Amino acid sequence: MIDPQPTEGKSHKLWGGRFAGGPAPELDAVNRSLDVDFRLWPFDVQLSKAWAVALWNAGVLTLEESGELERGLDEVAHRLAGGITPEAGDEDVHTLIDRLLHNAVGGVASRLHTGRSRNDQVATATRLWTMNACARLDAMIRELQQVMITQAESLERDVMPAYTHLQRAQPVSGAHWMLSHFWPLERDRTRLAAASKAAAVLPLGSGAIAGSAFPVSRVFLKEALGFRAVSPNSIDAVGDRDFIAETLFALSMLGAHLSRLAEDLILFGSSEFGFVRYSDAFSTGSSMMPQKRNPDALELARGSGARMLGDLVALLGTIKGLPSGYNKDLQEDKRSLFDAVDGMTLLLPAVAGSLGTLSFNRERMKAAVTSSMMATDLADYLVRKRVTFREAHGAVGQLVQEAEGKGIEMTKLPFASFKAACPAFEEDAMQELLPYTSLSHRDVEGGTGPTSVRRQIEAAKTLLTPEAEITRGNEISRRS
């Protein structure tokens, strides 16, 4: 029987029966979490619909009651999607939905909370939200990776210096440098997928700590909500936030990788390097200096690693000393999770846009490759002449010292200097001082040689090829 009385203005706290009076305003203020957990509402509605069906299957609800709750939850979702103003008594998203459900269907709404607790309810909603967030972030990383592949293909035949200790080291293909940032992102995708898998363990049915007292089918709930497994222990299930820590670690690593990409591009865009030019769309100016072009999006990316790390440390600090089961400290878990995901959701498109719209000064990149950077190639040349590498290293070092002393490139040294350094040098040794010769020698798997780089590009493309869509979970349905 539906209660026809409206419930606006009534308290919908899901607790309080054993208390003589209400909580102090100061407690209400600190205890209220709706400003943080409101975004869980689509997932709370989703799991509540599944719970209504599970209660019917368990014989707790009639078919009509289960159907009425489902229809009421659909109405609640419609109201929430349309925008509503929460009331002062809405302690959290669960209380808000309970109030709106009572408004929609009346007294039957009070039956929905049978056999479940906010402890397993919030854990389930947070896991669903995290799985969804990981999928959204994965799509954004893929978009950035696609930009990297496009830029790599444009740089495939261009040469540039690679750096160790931020000193010019050896020449590499521009594509090889670009793809050096692709593969860390691929590892980040793997970590996010693992975090999503860790989140896909169903806690619903664990109750407050000891499990539900009603014979709900947790297997049905798992399938209906798209989880991979059912939690094996109710105490662990309501207190487990490992999946959030894993997500935050994945985002911390992603932030570190975006920071390193940004640092390269910021350096390369400076006048001292001049390898890249930022587009107007992803640059800002100075309020004082009219000539400035600042890569703000990249600088914010460089700072993102610290923000992600801070969220991870905050969560680890929260959970490290908790006793088993649910504790109110865990209300703070979502602040860290949502902050990190929000930050990365803003950042990834900005980095993709910055990278996709900048232009490379190929001549400046090539001009930065000096003959001394092929010193190792000269040593390798001698090794192929049966000179030991130790001797070859010393001979080439002598040539480098002579060129530096005269202030000239090694290509300007007379051939007599080469012969004096090592009799094994022949006229063809001068070819070893050409950057494209250096690249051609390094066609090993993972090297900067042209064939290897082409294979690397194709491998990267394959990783971004969409796989056949796999349906996660089944539609919720009642027995007919």
Side-chain angles (χ1 to χ4, degrees), residues 161-471:
Y163 298 85
T164 63
H165 307 279
L166 204 54
Q167 304 295 312
R168 293 176 185 175
Q170 291 180 289
V172 295
S173 157
H176 196 57
W177 164 79
M178 186 73 265
L179 291 174
S180 74
H181 291 287
F182 176 95
W183 300 109
L185 295 185
E186 189 61 25
R187 296 193 294 273
D188 292 326
R189 290 184 60 208
T190 299
R191 276 184 283 268
L192 275 175
S196 181
K197 184 177 180 181
V201 178
L202 175 78
L204 192 60
S206 298
I209 194 167
S212 178
F214 297 89
V216 293
S217 172
R218 299 190 70 208
V219 173
F220 162 76
L221 291 169
K222 171 180 77 75
E223 294 297 322
L225 294 172
F227 284 89
R228 297 174 181 266
V230 172
S231 60
N233 183 287
S234 59
I235 300 174
D236 175 54
V238 297
D240 172 23
R241 296 300 185 270
D242 291 5
F243 68 98
I244 298 181
E246 292 179 44
T247 302
L248 292 176
F249 175 73
L251 293 181
S252 295
M253 290 300 300
L254 174 57
H257 294 146
L258 293 180
S259 178
R260 297 189 73 182
L261 168 65
E263 175 65 3
D264 269 7
L265 293 175
I266 291 167
L267 282 173
F268 291 170
S270 65
S271 300
E272 287 71 20
F273 279 79
F275 293 175
V276 303
R277 178 181 174 83
Y278 313 120
S279 70
D280 287 349
F282 286 91
S283 301
T284 63
S286 165
S287 60
M288 177 179 285
M289 297 167 284
Q291 82 281 8
K292 291 295 295 299
R293 181 189 294 269
N294 300 325
D296 281 15
L298 297 174
E299 291 175 356
L300 290 169
R302 191 171 56 186
S304 68
R307 178 179 177 181
M308 304 302 145
L309 179 60
D311 287 322
L312 172 61
V313 172
L315 179 75
L316 293 177
T318 298
I319 66 178
K320 75 169 186 63
L322 293 183
S324 58
Y326 181 82
N327 298 271
K328 194 67 171 183
D329 314 50
L330 294 177
Q331 182 168 291
E332 295 299 303
D333 62 352
K334 289 170 286 297
R335 292 185 189 276
S336 297
L337 175 63
F338 295 164
D339 178 70
V341 172
D342 288 349
M344 198 55 74
T345 299
L346 287 173
L347 198 62
L348 281 165
V351 174
S354 297
L355 179 59
T357 58
L358 60 76
S359 56
F360 288 87
N361 187 331
R362 289 158 170 78
E363 290 304 314
R364 187 74 176 258
M365 291 159 57
K366 182 178 180 181
V369 178
T370 58
S371 58
S372 63
M373 294 172 61
M374 272 66 76
T376 302
D377 295 275
L378 275 183
D380 291 341
Y381 168 89
L382 291 176
V383 169
R384 288 192 287 272
K385 298 286 188 178
R386 306 298 298 170
V387 177
T388 68
F389 188 77
R390 181 184 293 273
E391 294 173 315
H393 190 284
V396 175
Q398 180 180 324
L399 291 171
V400 171
Q401 185 179 37
E402 182 179 346
E404 285 182 349
K406 294 180 177 179
I408 60 175
E409 290 290 317
M410 291 175 69
T411 51
K412 302 298 184 182
L413 289 173
F415 183 65
S417 295
F418 286 78
K419 273 295 188 182
C422 182
F425 276 121
E426 301 292 342
E427 294 283 352
D428 61 349
M430 303 305 291
Q431 293 297 313
E432 301 300 322
L433 294 175
L434 300 177
Y436 292 102
T437 303
S438 176
L439 266 59
S440 69
H441 287 320
R442 288 164 171 78
D443 240 342
V444 297
E445 192 73 22
T448 191
T451 302
S452 176
V453 167
R454 172 41 45 187
R455 287 174 180 164
Q456 192 180 164
I457 290 174
E458 293 305 319
K461 285 181 174 180
T462 299
L463 287 170
L464 296 190
T465 301
E467 297 179 357
E469 180 129 6
I470 300 174
T471 302

